[in-house]
């Protein structure tokens, strides 16, 4: 039996930042992570703000929730800047994100999307081909224009995860590798793991795609779903790609690290092998993903892919889940909506504020898990 003030279930970006916030406030914190299929350890490091065409195409019913959450995404990008200044460097670069158009119909779609985003406070601008040439001369000749979102950027998740873990360790946060099977709430919260049992005054559920199953027994049906996705990284190359690159219709993200390596991803599917095995790479996704990258940035056609992998993304209803469970304030949810790595630190900070009795109601009200209690 392991007693603690605060138990955090999930040791990814949300769990680590929540632990840091609470430990700095003087709490005794234990983080329990299953150690497999964590989105943060497979993430490619994109800092998304503008609405992603992939998500809009696949989940049109969820677009209103994503659009309403755009101010949260803007604030999340700023939270990464604050985090980088405090604990970095995470190789944070914020020179904007480009969403590319290859014909006039795609450009018209981006213009309408940009107008909607600007109304929500996102810093966007439409660029024609001459304007693109000045900042991205490496693009293929078929690109006719793009939407530039100045809020967007990129970090190196490998560096960020390691640095944040070191901060948490220095603060005395305890980390356990275990799979939590169930929660029960009485005078304290009891979490039954495969290896140990944990008791805490409060629990933060930061288990991403596993959050729904974990709290189902407490009467709340949160529709968190694991979505296996594919990614690639190249050898170091001489290209100088400063922006996060996406496409108006096709699924892709493309960004370059300080090492010169380029990470290519953006929502291509991987082969699901269940919750307890890492997803397998789908050869068709590999070929489709890298060939699209080479079409958009022709010089990449001469660069070798040195590693390809798959990991779990989390989808819900297009919105984050932040705050105490209805009728059970001892259990606080901290699950980002789409683009979980981008939103992670801000969601963590907001969840920690709930634990500390200082919730920012203006930011979390629309993301309350109470919307699922019916």
């Amino acid at each position: 039996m392991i007693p603690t003030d605060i138990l955090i279930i999930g040791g990814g970006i949300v769990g680590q930042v929540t632990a840091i916030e609470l430990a700095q406030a003087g709490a005794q914190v234990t983080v329990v992570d299953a150690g497999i299929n964590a989105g943060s350890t497979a993430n490619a490091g994109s800092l998304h703000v503008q609405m992603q065409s992939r998500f809009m195409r696949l989940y049109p019913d969820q677009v209103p929730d994503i659009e309403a959450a755009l101010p949260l995404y803007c604030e999340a990008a700023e939270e990464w800047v604050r985090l980088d200044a405090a604990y970095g460097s995470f190789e944070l670069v914020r020179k904007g994100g480009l969403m590319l158009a290859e014909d006039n119909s795609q450009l018209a779609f981006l213009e309408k999307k940009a107008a909607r985003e600007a109304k929500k406070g996102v810093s966007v601008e439409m660029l024609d081909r001459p304007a693109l040439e000045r900042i991205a001369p490496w693009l293929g000749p078929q690109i006719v224009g793009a939407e530039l979102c100045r809020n967007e950027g990129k970090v190196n998740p490998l560096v960020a995860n390691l640095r944040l873990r070191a901060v948490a360790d220095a603060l005395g946060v305890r980390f356990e590798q275990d799979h939590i099977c169930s929660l029960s709430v009485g005078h304290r919260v009891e979490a039954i793991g495969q290896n140990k049992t944990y008791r805490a005054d409060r629990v933060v559920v930061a288990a991403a795609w596993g959050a729904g199953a974990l709290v189902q027994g407490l009467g709340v049906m949160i529709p968190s779903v694991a979505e296996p996705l594919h990614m690639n990284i190249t050898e170091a190359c001489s290209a100088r790609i400063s922006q996060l690159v996406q496409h108006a219709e096709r699924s892709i993200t493309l960004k370059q690290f300080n090492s010169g390596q380029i990470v290519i991803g953006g929502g291509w599917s991987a082969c699901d092998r269940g919750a307890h095995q890492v997803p397998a790479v789908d050869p068709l996704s590999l070929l489709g993903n890298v060939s699209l990258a080479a079409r958009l940035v022709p010089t990449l056609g001469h660069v070798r892919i040195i590693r390809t992998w798959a990991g779990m993304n989390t989808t819900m209803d297009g919105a984050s889940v932040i705050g105490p469970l209805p009728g059970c304030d001892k259990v606080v949810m901290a699950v980002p909506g789409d683009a979980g790595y981008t939103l992670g630190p801000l969601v963590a900070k907001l969840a920690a504020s709930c634990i500390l009795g200082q919730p920012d109601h203006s930011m979390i009200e629309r993301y309350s898990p109470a919307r699922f209690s019916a």
Side-chain angles (χ1 to χ4, degrees):
M1 182 76 67
I2 296 180
T4 187
D5 293 340
I6 311 296
L7 178 69
I8 299 173
I9 304 173
I13 185 68
V14 179
Q16 288 190 359
V17 176
T18 306
I20 290 169
E21 292 281 329
L22 294 173
Q24 286 176 334
Q28 180 188 53
V29 182
T30 299
V31 177
V32 180
D33 188 85
I36 189 168
N37 282 337
S40 294
T41 57
N43 195 272
S46 303
L47 298 184
H48 291 287
V49 174
Q50 65 178 306
M51 293 188 287
Q52 299 174 56
S53 59
R54 163 186 166 269
F55 197 94
M56 296 175 77
R57 186 178 68 254
L58 292 177
Y59 308 105
D61 58 313
Q62 297 180 20
V63 171
D65 282 336
I66 289 290
E67 187 172 8
L70 285 172
L72 191 75
Y73 282 79
C74 292
E75 181 61 25
E78 297 303 323
E79 186 61 30
W80 269 106
V81 174
R82 291 188 284 268
L83 206 64
D84 183 76
Y87 308 122
S89 163
F90 305 146
E91 298 183 16
L92 172 67
V93 176
R94 287 186 75 197
K95 295 190 176 180
L98 293 171
M99 191 166 285
L100 308 177
E102 295 187 87
D103 58 43
N104 289 332
S105 65
Q106 293 174 8
L107 199 60
F109 163 78
L110 291 179
E111 288 173 345
K112 292 179 181 179
K113 183 173 79 74
R116 292 164 63 181
E117 290 163 341
K119 291 179 180 178
K120 295 292 185 179
V122 183
S123 178
V124 292
E125 178 185 357
M126 294 302 300
L127 304 178
D128 58 15
R129 181 68 201 208
L132 269 178
E133 287 286 350
R134 291 191 286 272
I135 64 170
W138 29 264
L139 288 170
Q142 80 282 11
I143 305 300
V144 298
E147 178 186 357
L148 171 66
C149 175
R150 296 183 186 86
N151 309 78
E152 292 188 320
K154 54 190 177 180
V155 297
N156 186 329
L158 299 179
V159 174
N161 294 341
L162 286 173
R163 289 191 185 279
L164 291 170
R165 174 59 187 267
V167 172
D169 285 338
L171 288 167
V173 175
R174 179 174 184 165
F175 285 83
E176 295 277 342
Q177 184 167 327
D178 200 353
H179 173 73
I180 301 299
C181 304
S182 65
L183 293 174
S184 61
V185 179
H187 177 65
R188 304 188 82 199
V189 184
E190 186 170 89
I192 308 298
Q194 288 182 338
N195 303 323
K196 299 176 183 177
T197 298
Y198 309 82
R199 282 185 179 163
D201 296 328
R202 307 286 294 277
V203 167
V204 177
V205 177
W209 55 268
L214 197 55
V215 301
Q216 185 174 350
L218 300 177
V220 183
M221 304 295 290
I222 295 176
S224 60
V225 177
E227 180 187 33
L229 299 179
H230 168 91
M231 284 148 284
N232 318 274
I233 190 167
T234 73
E235 62 185 339
C237 64
S238 59
R240 291 294 175 262
I241 301 173
S242 299
Q243 294 82 19
L244 170 65
V245 178
Q246 300 179 80
H247 191 276
E249 286 189 358
R250 303 293 302 278
S251 296
I252 191 164
T253 60
L254 188 152
K255 72 195 75 67
Q256 189 169 28
F257 287 155
N258 289 355
S259 64
Q261 295 173 285
I262 295 171
V263 179
I264 303 167
W268 290 71
S269 62
C271 300
D272 192 353
R273 299 196 296 178
H276 303 296
Q277 292 190 75
V278 176
V281 169
D282 183 340
L284 293 178
S285 288
L286 168 61
L287 293 173
N289 198 194
V290 299
S291 63
L292 176 58
R295 191 178 88 199
L296 301 179
V297 185
T299 56
L300 295 187
H302 305 287
V303 178
R304 291 176 295 184
I305 300 293
I306 62 170
R307 186 165 70 92
T308 185
W309 73 99
M312 289 295 194
N313 185 43
T314 301
T315 65
M316 288 184 294
D317 62 348
S320 299
V321 185
I322 311 168
L325 289 181
C328 182
D329 63 1
K330 293 181 180 179
V331 178
V332 172
M333 304 303 298
V335 185
D338 190 55
Y341 204 76
T342 301
L343 292 173
L346 180 60
V347 168
K349 186 174 181 178
L350 293 171
S353 73
C354 294
I355 292 288
L356 297 172
Q358 305 161 348
D360 187 338
H361 293 291
S362 64
M363 291 197 71
I364 67 173
E365 185 174 7
R366 68 171 290 109
Y367 306 111
S368 169
R371 70 185 188 269
F372 301 114
S373 60

